[in-house]
Amino acid sequence: MIGKIKKGKSFGGCVRYVMGKDDAKILESDGVLLGTNREMIESFNCQCLLNPKIKQPLGHIALSFKPEDAPRLTDEFMAKIALEYMELMGIKNTQFILVRHHNTDNPHCHLVYNRINYDGKVISSQNDFKRNEIATKRLKDKYGLTYAEDKSKTNVKKLHDPERVKYGIHNAVKAALKRSRTWWDLGNQLQKQGIGMTFKINRRTGKNEGLSFTKDGYTFKASDISRQFSYSKLNEQLSWDKPKMQTEIEPKQQPIRQEEERNYSVTDNLIESNGMGLFTPSDTPQEDEQAPSWQKKKKDKKKKNRGIRF
């Protein structure tokens, strides 16, 4: 089971798409006038008037399951899983339709919902990709659903951004780790493939506490690529020994020594051109959003972190 999340401005195209398949069947709905496509679209648009400043009121999530689970996935069971998924994602008190398709080998359904709820408040999309990962894992474990195959076997060419980039980074990191003994080795290997590597540093302690990868304008936390790529996991495998041949990764200047608590040094060309650049994925929603209650509270947003990039 996986969830593919999208946001948009218009309900028109999305409703016409999910209802346009010959075998489309509405499994569940709430607050939407079920009739023609036009009537459903007008229902969604009417609620958008409660908060017209939200530019992307459309929420669309495709929930897809493995073919091995098809015999179990009756309409009732699929709807039950989807409703529990919505609860875990904080999608509630709002309009939605849940539509099932049968046009692929993978059983799947489409959740179309209004991000503006019945009270005129916007449903949070903050960290939705991470929450999606947690929610689908919980449901797979709860109902014994089949896990996806190794990401390295995925046909990346058939994916669309940002999933294509995410899987491409996964495969590149996995391959680079086989030839890397140090962080420097890994950084050089990935740099040749256009992949940036950024450490998240705690400003108070001066210690690394996270890692992310960037390619083609997309940035992902390392643990979102794979749990095996989290900073703590990789730091167990890689050392901070400097390479003997200091060509690409180390400049001619002397390395800048960090605080005494660290057990490694960082060279000038690992630091962004504008100095110790900040790397903190935005913890503040761009819109006036309310995060779901089950999500853990963030640390004080005033505590910024400094980043070091390969």
Side-chain angles (χ1 to χ4, degrees):
M1 175 186 178
I2 60 173
K4 295 184 178 180
I5 302 174
K6 294 182 179 180
K7 292 189 298 183
K9 298 180 180 180
S10 171
F11 284 94
C14 187
V15 170
R16 285 190 288 269
Y17 169 74
V18 300
M19 296 301 298
K21 304 296 181 181
D22 292 337
D23 57 358
K25 180 180 180 180
I26 297 178
L27 302 183
E28 292 284 347
S29 69
D30 192 85
V32 178
L33 181 60
L34 301 180
T36 64
N37 289 350
R38 182 174 181 178
E39 288 172 327
M40 286 187 279
I41 294 167
E42 288 178 350
S43 291
F44 281 117
N45 288 338
C46 184
Q47 185 158 305
C48 292
L49 298 176
L50 295 176
N51 196 340
K53 71 178 181 179
I54 301 302
K55 303 304 181 183
Q56 291 186 309
L58 164 67
H60 177 203
I61 302 177
L63 294 175
S64 181
F65 303 81
K66 299 296 290 182
E68 293 86 343
D69 296 323
R72 302 173 54 199
L73 287 168
T74 63
D75 290 346
E76 294 75 16
F77 186 39
M78 181 178 285
K80 175 181 174 63
I81 293 172
L83 292 175
E84 289 188 31
Y85 171 85
M86 291 174 63
E87 184 70 22
L88 291 171
M89 291 291 290
I91 303 170
K92 49 190 175 182
N93 191 38
T94 193
Q95 297 172 306
F96 75 90
I97 57 173
L98 181 67
V99 184
R100 180 169 187 170
H101 289 171
H102 294 273
N103 59 321
T104 68
D105 293 335
N106 297 76
H108 67 282
C109 58
H110 293 265
L111 171 64
V112 181
Y113 67 97
N114 201 326
R115 294 184 60 236
I116 301 171
N117 69 18
Y118 294 136
D119 298 322
K121 297 179 180 179
V122 66
I123 294 174
S124 175
S125 63
Q126 182 182 0
N127 297 324
D128 52 2
F129 288 100
K130 181 63 176 178
R131 290 188 284 117
N132 170 66
E133 181 181 346
I134 295 172
T136 53
K137 183 180 184 303
R138 285 187 184 181
L139 293 169
K140 283 185 287 190
D141 291 342
K142 179 178 180 178
Y143 293 109
L145 298 171
T146 304
Y147 273 78
E149 297 178 350
D150 187 345
K151 290 181 181 179
S152 61
K153 298 179 182 180
T154 301
N155 189 341
V156 177
K157 294 181 180 179
K158 292 185 178 181
L159 298 175
H160 298 286
D161 294 343
E163 285 297 305
R164 177 189 63 80
V165 178
K166 184 176 181 180
Y167 275 83
I169 293 174
H170 173 276
N171 295 340
V173 174
K174 185 175 181 179
L177 284 172
K178 296 178 181 179
R179 303 186 298 272
S180 301
R181 184 180 64 85
T182 69
W183 282 104
W184 308 82
D185 296 334
L186 179 61
N188 277 328
Q189 293 281 348
L190 297 179
Q191 190 177 51
K192 293 175 182 178
Q193 300 181 62
I195 299 174
M197 192 165 67
T198 304
F199 293 97
K200 183 178 178 182
I201 298 179
N202 187 297
R203 187 173 183 178
R204 182 176 60 83
T205 65
K207 294 182 178 180
N208 287 348
E209 62 179 15
L211 176 68
S212 66
F213 297 103
T214 300
K215 181 177 174 62
D216 296 343
Y218 293 98
T219 298
F220 304 93
K221 289 175 60 178
S223 57
D224 288 345
I225 300 291
S226 171
R227 292 185 179 182
Q228 297 303 312
F229 296 164
S230 67
Y231 173 74
S232 59
K233 293 278 188 181
L234 292 184
N235 204 40
E236 293 174 359
Q237 303 178 47
L238 303 171
S239 73
W240 280 96
D241 296 336
K242 285 190 246 179
K244 294 181 181 179
M245 298 298 294
Q246 299 175 352
T247 55
E248 297 181 26
I249 203 163
E250 186 175 12
K252 296 180 181 180
Q253 298 180 12
Q254 292 296 319
I256 299 175
R257 293 288 175 182
Q258 302 297 321
E259 298 179 12
E260 294 182 359
E261 293 184 15
R262 298 193 189 181
N263 57 2
Y264 59 88
S265 60
V266 182
T267 52
D268 283 349
N269 78 320
L270 297 183
I271 301 176
E272 293 179 295
S273 59
N274 62 345
M276 294 295 288
L278 294 177
F279 177 73
T280 45
S282 177
D283 287 335
T284 304
Q286 296 180 355
E287 303 164 341
D288 183 19
E289 304 183 348
Q290 294 183 342
S293 59
W294 71 278
Q295 186 180 1
K296 294 182 178 179
K297 293 184 178 179
K298 300 290 183 179
K299 292 183 178 180
D300 188 355
K301 296 176 184 177
K302 294 183 180 180
K303 294 182 180 179
K304 296 183 180 178
N305 299 305
R306 293 185 291 179
I308 305 172
R309 295 189 174 181
F310 280 99

